[in-house]
Amino acid sequence: MSHVVTIEEPQAKPDVSQPRCGVKSGAWGHVSSSRMYDFLYDPLFILSSEKDHKQADVQATMIRSKLRKVPRFRAMFSNLIHYPRYSVYWSKADPVPAFVRREWKGQEEKHREALQQLATTDTSFQMPKEVYEDPEVTGRNRYKYFERPFLPFLEQMPLNVVFETTKIEAYTFPPASPDYPPSPSKCTVGTQTAYRDAEVQTDPYSPEYVVCQDSIPELLTLATLTWGRGLPAGQAEVEMIERAREKRAWEATLPPLSDTAQFEKRRRMMNVMERKEWAFREQEIEKLQEIRLEVLKQLLKKRDENQNEVNTKHLNAQWSKLQEAKEAKLAQIQRAHVSAIRKLMGKGKNIEGKLERRNIIKDYSDYASQVYGPLSRLGRFPDNNSEDFVVKNLYLNTYEGLVELESCLPDFVTQPRIRPPKPKVTTTKAGFLKRVARMDHELAEVHKVLLEKKNKVLEPKKPPRFLQRKLIPQPRLPTPTLEMGSNEEEDIEMAVIYLQKLLRGRVVQNMMFEGKEKRLELIQELRTSHALQEDDRLVKKAEKQVTLALQRQRNLHEHKVSLVENHLAGLEGRVLADMFDFLSKELVRLQEERRIHAFAMLAERQRRMREAEESGRRQVEQRRLREEDQIFKEVLKVHQSTVTSYLEDIILNTEENTAEEQARAEIEKVAKEINDIAYEMESRRTQLQSEEIVAELVYSFLIPEVQKNFVKEKDYDLF
């Protein structure tokens, strides 16, 4: 049976015109497990109790909104509160038709079960027969009986075989009865779509595959594989198939169990195969452990990264919090500083602390005073209640007012008329310029000249092209001398003066030497270009020729060296180009090889992980199958023991009842025969025979009883 779900309808109100039909899984649209009123319409919707039925009814009532919005056509596009676009009213319509039963369907089932229990206990009670509706195989349900099962192993009929057509005898219609009118040959059958028909959505059962007789197809070994879990087949699945084939081939080579001579060989072969399987299993377990260790490392690494990220976020949040506190503290300090400075300035204006009267004239004459611009920190807020002075006009604040205002405006406002300007006449009728035009032209030229002077960029001062005369500074005034009284003081003074002259001369000489060393190249250039003497000119000319010759030789040598270097550079370039090309190709090849190797490693790791998952699932499945088999065996054993004990009890009771009935019948038969014989003997008995019988009874019963009592009394007297 295919899984059935329903498409969620946009409206909760069911209607006959809107069919409530289900679709199979995989259909288009938003898919949900149930709809609002499925517990009333769907025959397959089962609720466990009447409480759940009431809860589903309450949920459907609460989900469905009974408020309906009805638009008002006159104010459909209004945004005003007193002219709403729509009105809301409470809908009393019930989406469930009146003929649909709202009771819980379990009451009928309980009633049916009670009737069945009564029928089993009371044999006189007759169970009412269930009347099934007509399946209408040849009517509206005819299409349900044309499903063909899908058999993948069904042998296809060869195309070259032609079967003999069966001869069908003509069907003879019975004569029409005159009591009933003739039925029409065609009839139209309608289909109700208000409910969901489960039969339409259920595929007939067909087996997944059919195994031919005396054959075990190898494809059945892959029946447990599904898409995403083994399909499409990878290397692990191929290895599993190969191992299965090898095991089947090995099983075929095993000696049969009936051959007792080769029983030891069979045992050895099975031991070897078992060791191989254990070794293979150990390898799989090692691979699984490696994969788990790798996954554990990745999880630990990811956990550390997440923890570091969380710590970083906490640090950033703490830093942001501290920064905000710091900024708030700085702002508070700044405000306190400004307030303190303002107070100091106010105190500085009135140091003596004298009381001054308010100068009203000065306040009203100064537009920066508190009269025109009061400070808000003094408690004055001139912008309060400024909305009261805003002009609120219906024609400017609403769309309807703007439309009405636009309809009242003249055409030249909404459709402006643009007139081209007339050219300005600057000449008279005689062809002379007007005085106004001449003045405008002169003013424009003056303005242009002023702009050029204003925007003119000063050119940088050019360095002097020729030698300029350097002015010699005037000599310093002579140092005044003092008259000395004695010759010794005069000698000492002259010695000091001479020492000063030497020091000053040495300083000037050092300065000249440093300047000459700094400007030695400039001096050489001046000497080469401005030599005045003939000898110096000849020497310079000879030096120039020698310099030019050396320069030519050097150029030739450099040219030869450059040619050789060019050839060598070309050879080196070719070698380096080939080498770099080879290295780049090797690098690309190595990168591709590493990338392919990485892809192969990733694929291998993914394959191993899938193998591990598949082996784990296989183990769980095998364990589950073993548990189910054991449970089934235990249940079957309990059932068998129960049936055996039940049958034994029935057989024993039956045997006892039969034996008792047979014994009673035989006793009655024997008693009847004895009675007949006794009656016959009684009828033939004489007086003498009666006395003999009485005497025998007395002798057999009465006398032994008297003797027994006598012996008992005697024994009692002895004790």
Side-chain angles (χ1 to χ4, degrees):
M1 181 182 292
S2 62
H3 181 62
V4 178
V5 295
T6 60
I7 294 179
E8 187 177 2
E9 296 176 354
Q11 297 180 358
K13 182 177 180 180
D15 194 3
V16 176
S17 61
Q18 299 178 359
R20 294 174 58 87
C21 60
V23 296
K24 299 181 181 179
S25 59
W28 57 272
H30 178 68
V31 180
S32 62
S33 60
S34 62
R35 294 180 295 181
M36 192 182 301
Y37 291 101
D38 273 352
F39 66 96
L40 297 177
Y41 291 98
D42 193 355
L44 300 180
F45 196 95
I46 300 173
L47 293 173
S48 60
S49 62
E50 189 174 2
K51 181 179 179 181
D52 295 340
H53 180 82
K54 292 182 180 178
Q55 186 176 2
D57 193 4
V58 171
Q59 287 181 358
T61 306
M62 295 299 291
I63 290 174
R64 186 178 62 84
S65 178
K66 292 187 178 181
L67 294 177
R68 296 290 181 267
K69 294 181 180 179
V70 178
R72 294 185 178 180
F73 295 99
R74 292 188 178 182
M76 187 176 293
F77 303 99
S78 174
N79 293 325
L80 302 177
I81 300 175
H82 53 284
Y83 289 107
R85 297 193 300 270
Y86 58 87
S87 59
V88 182
Y89 77 99
W90 184 265
S91 176
K92 297 182 180 179
D94 193 359
V96 182
F99 60 86
V100 178
R101 295 182 58 186
R102 287 183 174 268
E103 290 80 9
W104 180 45
K105 300 176 184 178
Q107 296 291 346
E108 299 178 359
E109 297 180 359
K110 287 185 176 180
H111 181 65
R112 192 181 299 108
E113 291 177 358
L115 292 178
Q116 290 177 358
Q117 291 178 1
L118 182 61
T120 54
T121 56
D122 190 2
T123 56
S124 63
F125 179 75
Q126 292 183 358
M127 184 74 181
K129 296 182 179 180
E130 294 184 1
V131 180
Y132 298 97
E133 62 179 1
D134 187 10
E136 300 185 17
V137 178
T138 59
R140 61 178 181 178
N141 296 331
R142 184 181 179 185
Y143 65 93
K144 299 179 183 179
Y145 301 93
F146 283 90
E147 185 72 18
R148 182 180 180 184
F150 175 69
L151 304 177
F153 291 95
L154 185 62
E155 294 182 359
Q156 299 292 335
M157 291 184 295
L159 299 177
N160 55 358
V161 176
V162 180
F163 294 94
E164 182 183 3
T165 58
T166 58
K167 296 180 180 179
I168 303 174
E169 296 180 358
Y171 179 74
T172 58
F173 292 92
S177 177
D179 298 337
Y180 300 97
S183 59
S185 60
K186 297 182 179 179
C187 63
T188 302
V189 179
T191 303
Q192 177 93 11
T193 60
Y195 308 102
R196 186 172 67 188
D197 298 329
E199 293 84 3
V200 178
Q201 303 166 13
T202 304
D203 296 334
Y205 171 76
S206 59
E208 297 181 358
Y209 54 85
V210 176
V211 180
C212 299
Q213 191 174 4
D214 298 334
S215 64
I216 301 176
E218 188 180 4
L219 192 61
L220 288 180
T221 58
L222 306 178
T224 58
L225 301 180
T226 58
W227 182 263
R229 297 182 178 180
L231 292 178
Q235 186 176 358
E237 286 74 18
V238 173
E239 290 179 356
M240 183 187 69
I241 295 169
E242 293 296 331
R243 286 197 302 272
R245 288 179 178 175
E246 291 177 0
K247 191 170 184 180
R248 286 197 296 271
W250 173 78
E251 290 176 353
T253 58
L254 279 175
L257 289 171
S258 59
D259 191 359
T260 57
Q262 295 184 357
F263 184 76
E264 189 66 24
K265 180 180 178 182
R266 179 184 178 90
R267 186 177 63 80
R268 288 196 302 270
M269 292 176 66
M270 292 182 69
N271 290 336
V272 173
M273 179 55 68
E274 188 176 0
R275 283 196 295 270
K276 289 183 180 179
E277 289 181 354
W278 277 109
F280 176 73
R281 182 58 185 160
E282 288 177 358
Q283 292 179 1
E284 285 189 347
I285 291 172
E286 290 178 358
K287 292 179 182 178
L288 286 175
Q289 289 178 353
E290 291 178 358
I291 293 171
R292 289 175 180 173
L293 287 174
E294 188 67 25
V295 172
L296 185 60
K297 289 180 182 177
Q298 292 180 0
L299 291 176
L300 290 174
K301 184 178 179 181
K302 188 175 181 180
R303 187 188 68 178
D304 294 340
E305 292 178 356
N306 294 336
Q307 188 64 32
N308 293 334
E309 186 176 356
V310 170
N311 294 335
T312 305
K313 289 182 179 179
H314 288 171
L315 290 175
N316 292 336
Q318 189 68 18
W319 183 81
S320 301
K321 187 176 180 181
L322 294 175
Q323 285 293 113
E324 291 177 358
K326 176 185 173 182
E327 292 176 358
K329 190 68 175 178
L330 289 176
Q332 184 180 2
I333 294 172
Q334 186 70 19
R335 288 194 296 271
H337 172 72
V338 171
S339 178
I341 294 296
R342 192 183 298 115
K343 290 178 181 178
L344 289 175
M345 291 176 64
K347 290 180 180 180
K349 291 180 181 178
N350 190 6
I351 299 175
E352 297 178 359
K354 295 181 180 180
L355 297 177
E356 295 181 358
R357 290 185 177 181
R358 178 187 175 189
N359 192 350
I360 300 176
I361 297 174
K362 182 179 179 181
D363 291 342
Y364 279 92
S365 62
D366 186 9
Y367 292 101
S369 63
Q370 297 291 326
V371 176
Y372 296 99
L375 298 177
S376 59
R377 55 187 168 84
L378 298 179
R380 295 287 303 280
F381 300 96
D383 293 336
N384 281 354
N385 302 325
S386 60
E387 294 83 3
D388 298 340
F389 303 100
V390 177
V391 178
K392 297 180 181 180
N393 193 352
L394 179 65
Y395 294 100
L396 299 178
N397 295 337
T398 59
Y399 176 74
E400 292 82 359
L402 289 174
V403 173
E404 186 177 355
L405 182 63
E406 185 178 356
S407 62
C408 297
L409 295 175
D411 294 339
F412 67 88
V413 177
T414 57
Q415 299 177 0
R417 302 170 185 176
I418 301 174
R419 297 179 181 178
K422 294 181 180 180
K424 192 175 182 179
V425 180
T426 58
T427 57
T428 59
K429 295 181 179 179
F432 298 100
L433 284 174
K434 292 183 178 180
R435 183 178 299 175
V436 177
R438 190 180 301 111
M439 291 181 64
D440 292 340
H441 182 67
E442 292 177 355
L443 290 174
E445 288 182 352
V446 172
H447 181 67
K448 184 178 180 182
V449 172
L450 292 174
L451 287 177
E452 289 179 354
K453 289 184 178 181
K454 182 179 180 181
N455 299 330
K456 186 177 181 181
V457 180
L458 296 176
E459 297 181 357
K461 202 170 185 179
K462 296 182 179 180
R465 185 175 179 183
F466 302 101
L467 293 177
Q468 295 181 357
R469 185 176 180 181
K470 187 175 181 181
L471 298 176
I472 300 173
Q474 295 181 0
R476 293 189 299 175
L477 296 175
T479 304
T481 58
L482 296 175
E483 295 182 357
M484 299 296 174
S486 61
N487 292 330
E488 293 180 359
E489 292 179 357
E490 186 176 356
D491 293 338
I492 292 171
E493 184 182 359
M494 294 301 293
V496 171
I497 291 171
Y498 182 71
L499 183 59
Q500 290 177 354
K501 288 182 178 179
L502 287 176
L503 293 174
R504 289 174 181 171
R506 191 61 180 174
V507 169
V508 173
Q509 186 179 4
N510 290 335
M511 291 173 63
M512 289 293 293
F513 184 75
E514 290 177 359
K516 186 192 74 168
E517 292 294 330
K518 287 181 181 179
R519 297 169 178 79
L520 186 60
E521 295 180 357
L522 182 59
I523 293 171
Q524 294 291 338
E525 185 180 356
L526 291 174
R527 285 181 178 177
T528 55
S529 58
H530 298 281
L532 300 178
Q533 296 181 4
E534 189 67 23
D535 296 337
D536 294 336
R537 289 181 180 179
L538 293 176
V539 171
K540 294 298 180 182
K541 189 175 182 180
E543 290 179 357
K544 183 179 180 181
Q545 291 177 357
V546 172
T547 304
L548 291 175
L550 292 174
Q551 189 174 4
R552 284 194 295 270
Q553 291 179 1
R554 188 182 63 182
N555 291 336
L556 290 173
H557 179 68
E558 289 179 355
H559 181 65
K560 292 179 181 180
V561 171
S562 63
L563 290 176
V564 174
E565 289 180 353
N566 289 334
H567 288 295
L568 292 175
L571 295 174
E572 292 176 357
R574 289 193 208 91
V575 174
L576 290 174
D578 296 338
M579 183 176 65
F580 288 152
D581 184 34
F582 174 75
L583 291 176
S584 63
K585 290 179 179 178
E586 286 294 321
L587 179 60
V588 172
R589 185 185 63 80
L590 183 60
Q591 291 177 353
E592 291 294 329
E593 184 178 356
R594 289 184 177 178
R595 188 167 62 87
I596 293 170
H597 180 64
F599 285 160
M601 291 181 65
L602 289 174
E604 185 69 18
R605 185 179 66 178
Q606 190 174 6
R607 181 185 63 79
R608 290 179 179 177
M609 292 177 67
R610 289 182 178 177
E611 286 180 358
E613 293 177 358
E614 185 64 26
S615 62
R617 286 192 293 269
R618 195 182 304 116
Q619 290 177 3
V620 173
E621 185 68 21
Q622 291 177 357
R623 191 183 302 111
R624 187 177 60 81
L625 290 175
R626 286 196 297 270
E627 291 177 357
E628 290 179 357
D629 292 341
Q630 188 65 25
I631 292 170
F632 178 74
K633 289 179 182 178
E634 294 294 335
V635 172
L636 189 61
K637 188 185 297 182
V638 172
H639 289 176
Q640 288 178 354
S641 61
T642 305
V643 171
T644 304
S645 61
Y646 178 69
L647 292 176
E648 288 178 356
D649 294 339
I650 291 175
I651 292 169
L652 291 174
N653 294 331
T654 306
E655 288 179 355
E656 291 178 359
N657 295 332
T658 305
E660 186 178 358
E661 290 178 359
Q662 290 179 358
R664 286 180 181 178
E666 290 179 359
I667 291 169
E668 290 178 357
K669 183 178 179 182
V670 173
K672 187 175 181 181
E673 291 178 356
I674 292 171
N675 288 334
D676 294 340
I677 294 170
Y679 289 150
E680 187 177 357
M681 289 176 66
E682 187 69 27
S683 62
R684 296 178 181 179
R685 188 177 57 187
T686 60
Q687 184 66 27
L688 183 61
Q689 290 177 351
S690 298
E691 291 178 357
E692 288 179 358
I693 291 171
V694 171
E696 187 177 356
L697 289 173
V698 170
Y699 182 77
S700 300
F701 291 100
L702 184 58
I703 294 174
E705 186 67 26
V706 172
Q707 290 178 355
K708 186 169 61 175
N709 292 334
F710 180 73
V711 171
K712 286 183 180 180
E713 290 177 358
K714 189 177 181 180
D715 293 337
Y716 181 74
D717 293 337
L718 290 175
F719 285 106

